[in-house]
Amino acid sequence: MSETHKHHNIASQQKEHKHTNRLINETSPYLLQHAHNPVDWYPWGEAALQKAKREDKPILLSVGYSACHWCHVMERESFENEEIAVLMNKHFISIKVDREERPDIDSIYMQAVQAMSGQGGWPMTVFLTPDGHPFYGGTYFPPADRQYGQHTMPGFPRLLLSIAHVYETQRERVEAQANELADFLKQRSTTHTKSSQFPGTASLSILQTASHKLATTFDAQYGGFGQAPKFPNTMALEFLLRVHLHKAKGELALQQESASHAERVMVETSLQHMANGGIYDQLGGGFHRYSVDEEWLAPHFEKMLYDNALLSRLYLHAYLVTGNSFYRRIVEETLDYVIREMTSPEGGFYSTQDADSEGEEGKFFLWTPQEIERLLAPQDAALFMRYYDVTTHGNFEEKNILHVVSDVQQLASEMQMAVNDVHASLQRSRAILFQAREQRSKPGRDEKILTSWNGLMLQSFAEAARYLARADYLHIAINNANFLLSSLRPAGRLLRTYKDGRARLHGYLEDAVFLAAGLLCLYEATFDLRWFSEARALMEQTIQLFTDEEQGGFFDTGNDHEALISRPKDIVDNAIPAGNSVAAEVLLRLAALTGEEAYRQRAIHYLEPLADLMVQHPQGFGHLLNALDFARSAVQEIAIIGHASNEETRSLLNIVNRRYIPNSVIACCTANDTEAQQSIALLAERPLKDGKATAYVCQNFACQAPVNTVEALEPLLD
């Protein structure tokens, strides 16, 4: 967009609003929320950085995201305040960043804030020298001094004047602090992960050690780890499910463990309490961000795409392992919620739904007994309120978060009803209340589409389509993949974000590898060679753009990215997996499919030096532990020769798809599909047996004799 056109946009907007700043030309909903602040905001970019240098002013960097409650509070209190805006505009060059669009900037400066203050979070407020080096920072600041116990939190205006005074009168001190922090950040970005020697075929026992470490913080009563606030920690639970499978197959020793700390019990206790708690939307499906209490009752009500992607996959895997239909219901309700609320007409998935509606946190999701009694028949209302613990005094600001407190069998006995009648009543009531809730003002929605988060959700839909035989989910997955590959890659280079027909910002490591992982899952659900080829091409591009040649693994930003004060390289799994963790997994899966040892070696060189660190801190390396499991396990390589739509072939595929075999890959093609056989070495030189669809199962560089009956295939998979 030309500068003339930008100024025209701002001028036309100013006719409708008292203030309009440069953020009006952005696509991020979070940035657009601040476009009419009296603050002279800049987006991150050369214009702001050059202005800071030219005018020798410090930079005030404010980082947040659309669904962040305290970000909205700070905007209302400070950024919409005319007097505070005057101080900001006079003394600083103010830059506003959406952390979901720019995880690189967020990561760099969050490390600085944590180093300075010992804590972090959003909104994040950081003061930088004109060359981008941080010298002071924090999170939320109130509009005036506030007393919290013995501690006084400085008001934002006082802080602004103090920082401006220090910058003007103690410049050497400021620059020394900034240089010290810059050196710290550079050291953090060169984490040593490369090793000239690695075991490669080391024992699986390290996985058991990590499991025992997780058990020490497990909450045996309510599930999850630690105390309030509680986050789902899906990756650690996924890892425990894998350890359970190893033990079930005799690959890890069964030890004398407390029943409450056995891996399957830890997983199921957590999944059941979460799905029955207020963190789960009992009427509309889908999970809120986290619980403020240890019982999973009161959530922070925002809904994030990535949480629902990771949780739906975890519940799907639990269903495959246990056969418990409860887990399948949670999977389908969660994915149905994503289709209904979070899917764009083009096929992309939106990012978040806010915690607030009509200015109140959680208002959309809360109920009173009077509202329920007005909508339901008396007996249905009484049963519903008993099942979901709806009371006159409430459990959240005198209203009720729906959560399950008794099972249906117990309720049927209490109400002297048949179990089927209880189920029918609850289902009827949920439908009525859901429709009534749809008439309320819905929480705001951040409609930007992020490639990485979409890659996570693509995996969920592809796997659910495969394992649950849901053609509708497959349709959603294919539409999403087509959209991402066409709209987020307009000129060959994958981009980060899309909104209102506009894709922008070079993609990060997580964008490329999360999408590659999703495409591999889609290949295994469809056996359309296009998805495999696209996944492999993305990983080849990842190796070219992101490789850390000195220390191993990958940087978060490409070698074509703008120069920042350090080049971030995240190795820790947080709310979403680290890009490096998923990259290792994808490389290992590609190696199993293609036979390319270079892929495996690259992954192993990253994984093995971190193995001891993973074991000591398993909650911070959940996904990486899953990749390590894949690297150290006897991976099953399954090739099916036959047309994927033929009944004979489907019967063989269905046997595979009834199981959760995390350390496996599967490929399928017809006997004369030379393109697939050349692309995927696992399919090469696999003739039909007796002219019928045939399965080959290989493990530890050796293949079993080919089989073409269900009865012969089943024991090869167990």
Side-chain angles (χ1 to χ4, degrees):
M1 182 181 294
S2 69
E3 285 299 317
T4 303
H5 188 55
K6 286 182 182 178
H7 292 314
H8 173 73
N9 276 2
I10 293 176
S12 63
Q13 288 284 338
Q14 284 174 332
K15 296 176 183 178
E16 303 170 23
H17 299 273
K18 184 177 180 181
H19 302 284
T20 301
N21 56 56
R22 294 164 185 80
L23 300 184
I24 196 65
N25 296 308
E26 296 299 301
T27 58
S28 160
Y30 175 68
L31 298 186
L32 290 170
Q33 287 164 9
H34 295 77
H36 301 297
N37 295 163
V39 177
D40 187 17
W41 288 117
Y42 282 78
W44 182 275
E46 199 61 30
L49 301 176
Q50 288 302 320
K51 184 176 175 67
K53 291 177 181 177
R54 189 168 60 250
E55 298 183 8
D56 194 24
K57 284 184 177 180
I59 293 167
L60 191 164
L61 175 65
S62 176
V63 182
Y65 59 102
S66 182
C68 166
H69 173 72
W70 286 101
C71 298
H72 296 312
V73 171
M74 192 164 177
E75 182 195 11
R76 287 197 305 270
E77 293 177 340
S78 294
F79 302 149
E80 292 180 356
N81 183 299
E82 301 269 359
E83 294 177 1
I84 292 176
V86 167
L87 294 177
M88 293 174 67
N89 296 340
K90 178 180 179 181
H91 296 291
F92 302 93
I93 303 302
S94 297
I95 299 178
K96 174 60 73 172
V97 165
D98 180 343
R99 67 173 292 259
E100 294 169 353
E101 277 198 339
R102 294 301 304 263
D104 54 335
I105 293 169
D106 178 62
S107 173
I108 290 169
Y109 293 108
M110 183 60 74
Q111 289 179 37
V113 169
Q114 288 171 333
M116 287 185 278
S117 67
Q119 62 184 22
W122 300 275
M124 177 170 64
T125 309
V126 198
F127 296 91
L128 320 176
T129 61
D131 57 2
H133 291 182
F135 62 89
Y136 186 80
T139 53
Y140 164 78
F141 292 100
D145 290 2
R146 285 183 189 167
Q147 193 74 23
Y148 289 93
Q150 301 299 312
H151 174 66
T152 299
M153 180 180 286
F156 198 46
R158 183 160 73 89
L159 177 69
L160 294 173
L161 290 171
S162 175
I163 293 291
H165 178 72
V166 168
Y167 185 79
E168 290 173 8
T169 62
Q170 302 179 45
R171 188 64 171 270
E172 288 185 4
R173 176 184 160 196
V174 166
E175 291 181 349
Q177 165 90 344
N179 290 335
E180 186 177 327
L181 276 167
D183 290 341
F184 166 77
L185 294 172
K186 287 175 182 175
Q187 290 171 6
R188 285 287 299 269
S189 70
T190 56
T191 305
H192 182 76
T193 57
K194 196 167 186 177
S195 174
S196 59
Q197 295 183 344
F198 54 91
T201 57
S203 167
L204 284 173
S205 62
I206 193 172
L207 306 180
Q208 199 158 21
T209 306
S211 171
H212 290 159
K213 188 83 172 178
L214 286 170
T216 63
T217 59
F218 177 68
D219 181 346
Q221 184 173 3
Y222 298 112
F225 303 96
Q227 299 174 334
K230 267 191 181 166
F231 293 82
N233 209 328
T234 51
M235 289 163 272
L237 293 171
E238 188 83 56
F239 168 69
L240 290 174
L241 198 60
R242 285 170 170 253
V243 175
H244 161 71
L245 290 175
H246 281 302
K247 288 184 175 180
K249 295 172 68 175
E251 295 167 345
L252 283 174
L254 289 171
Q255 298 185 358
Q256 295 298 316
E257 299 165 308
S258 165
S260 65
H261 286 174
E263 287 80 9
R264 177 167 169 174
V265 173
M266 285 193 277
V267 173
E268 293 210 67
T269 301
S270 302
L271 295 190
Q272 289 171 14
H273 278 89
M274 284 193 290
N276 284 327
I279 192 174
Y280 184 68
D281 182 353
Q282 301 294 335
L283 293 184
F287 288 86
H288 300 293
R289 179 70 195 97
Y290 64 88
S291 173
V292 301
D293 59 85
E294 63 184 6
E295 302 176 35
W296 307 105
L297 168 61
H300 188 43
F301 286 93
E302 68 197 48
K303 285 183 177 179
M304 315 296 288
L305 184 71
Y306 57 76
D307 285 321
N308 287 286
L310 294 168
L311 281 161
S312 56
R313 283 186 77 211
L314 176 59
Y315 277 85
L316 175 63
H317 298 161
Y319 166 67
L320 293 170
V321 170
T322 67
N324 187 342
S325 61
F326 171 76
Y327 300 135
R328 175 172 181 154
R329 175 171 70 82
I330 301 303
V331 174
E332 293 177 325
E333 288 178 356
T334 300
L335 295 182
D336 290 348
Y337 150 73
V338 172
I339 294 171
R340 184 181 70 246
E341 298 286 347
M342 301 292 282
T343 304
S344 74
E346 304 104 316
F349 301 121
Y350 299 134
S351 294
T352 66
Q353 283 185 311
D354 290 355
D356 301 2
S357 55
E358 300 181 87
E360 295 182 28
E361 183 176 6
K363 182 176 181 180
F364 181 76
F365 301 98
L366 302 176
W367 294 89
T368 64
Q370 294 79 11
E371 289 172 316
I372 292 170
E373 289 168 344
R374 188 167 59 248
L375 290 163
L376 301 181
Q379 186 179 29
D380 284 348
L383 192 151
F384 184 90
M385 290 191 290
R386 172 71 183 84
Y387 186 70
Y388 288 107
D389 193 32
V390 177
T391 63
T392 54
H393 54 79
N395 54 35
F396 186 85
E397 299 179 356
E398 300 182 350
K399 293 186 177 181
N400 291 272
I401 303 166
L402 301 182
H403 68 126
V404 177
V405 293
S406 61
D407 63 35
V408 171
Q409 292 275 4
Q410 176 187 348
L411 193 57
S413 177
E414 289 178 12
M415 307 290 282
Q416 296 184 334
M417 295 173 63
V419 170
N420 288 343
D421 291 339
V422 173
H423 278 298
S425 172
L426 292 173
Q427 186 173 354
R428 184 166 59 244
S429 297
R430 283 194 297 265
I432 292 169
L433 294 179
F434 173 78
Q435 289 302 326
R437 196 180 75 174
E438 285 291 281
Q439 306 310 308
R440 297 177 177 177
S441 295
K442 291 190 174 184
R445 181 172 63 192
D446 185 333
E447 295 187 353
K448 72 174 176 292
I449 294 166
L450 296 174
T451 303
S452 62
W453 297 8
N454 272 246
L456 292 176
M457 189 54 77
L458 172 59
Q459 291 182 66
S460 295
F461 274 105
E463 285 199 2
R466 173 187 170 188
Y467 290 117
L468 304 181
R470 288 286 300 261
D472 53 340
Y473 290 167
L474 188 60
H475 177 72
I476 294 290
I478 291 172
N479 279 354
N480 180 251
N482 279 323
F483 165 74
L484 294 172
L485 292 172
S486 60
S487 298
L488 273 300
R489 198 182 54 178
R493 174 63 160 92
L494 190 67
L495 302 182
R496 168 71 174 175
T497 183
Y498 176 96
K499 188 171 183 298
D500 297 333
R502 182 179 166 200
R504 57 194 298 264
L505 304 177
H506 277 170
Y508 300 94
L509 173 65
E510 67 177 47
D511 295 302
V513 298
F514 289 11
L515 178 53
L519 292 170
L520 281 184
C521 287
L522 187 55
Y523 169 75
E524 292 187 326
T526 62
F527 304 114
D528 182 339
L529 188 62
R530 177 195 173 192
W531 310 125
F532 167 83
S533 300
E534 293 283 13
R536 186 172 186 178
L538 274 172
M539 289 309 297
E540 289 292 345
Q541 189 177 74
T542 295
I543 291 168
Q544 293 172 11
L545 291 174
F546 297 94
T547 295
D548 180 352
E549 297 290 359
E550 292 185 5
Q551 304 296 341
F554 299 96
F555 291 109
D556 294 339
T557 56
N559 53 30
D560 56 352
H561 198 75
E562 68 180 288
L564 300 171
I565 62 170
S566 67
R567 192 175 180 188
K569 179 184 179 183
D570 194 7
I571 67 171
V572 178
D573 299 318
N574 290 301
I576 59 175
N580 272 291
S581 300
V582 177
E585 177 195 18
V586 173
L587 287 168
L588 291 167
R589 296 181 68 81
L590 282 175
L593 288 164
T594 64
E596 291 289 342
E597 180 64 11
Y599 290 144
R600 182 176 178 276
Q601 293 294 335
R602 189 177 288 275
I604 293 294
H605 272 290
Y606 176 75
L607 284 166
E608 293 296 348
L610 291 172
D612 290 339
L613 186 62
M614 294 183 223
V615 172
Q616 292 304 312
H617 304 282
Q619 286 198 53
F621 293 96
H623 197 90
L624 197 61
L625 279 165
N626 293 332
L628 183 68
D629 175 32
F630 195 104
R632 292 190 171 187
S633 295
V635 174
Q636 287 195 329
E637 301 161 349
I638 305 165
I640 308 289
I641 306 302
H643 199 289
S645 62
N646 287 352
E647 185 175 346
E648 287 179 353
T649 311
R650 292 306 316 169
S651 66
L652 296 175
L653 290 170
N654 289 341
I655 290 300
V656 178
N657 292 341
R658 287 210 311 243
R659 293 163 167 77
Y660 177 48
I661 315 173
N663 298 320
S664 69
V665 293
I666 185 169
C668 178
C669 73
T670 59
N672 58 1
D673 188 344
T674 54
E675 183 183 4
Q677 292 161 13
Q678 289 170 358
S679 298
I680 301 176
L682 182 58
L683 294 170
E685 299 179 8
R686 307 286 193 192
L688 294 174
K689 179 184 178 183
D690 301 329
K692 298 179 180 178
T694 304
Y696 292 81
V697 179
C698 305
Q699 189 170 300
N700 287 338
F701 309 104
C703 294
Q704 303 290 331
V707 298
N708 54 15
T709 67
V710 167
E711 294 76 16
L713 177 58
E714 281 199 275
L716 301 182
L717 302 172
D718 294 329

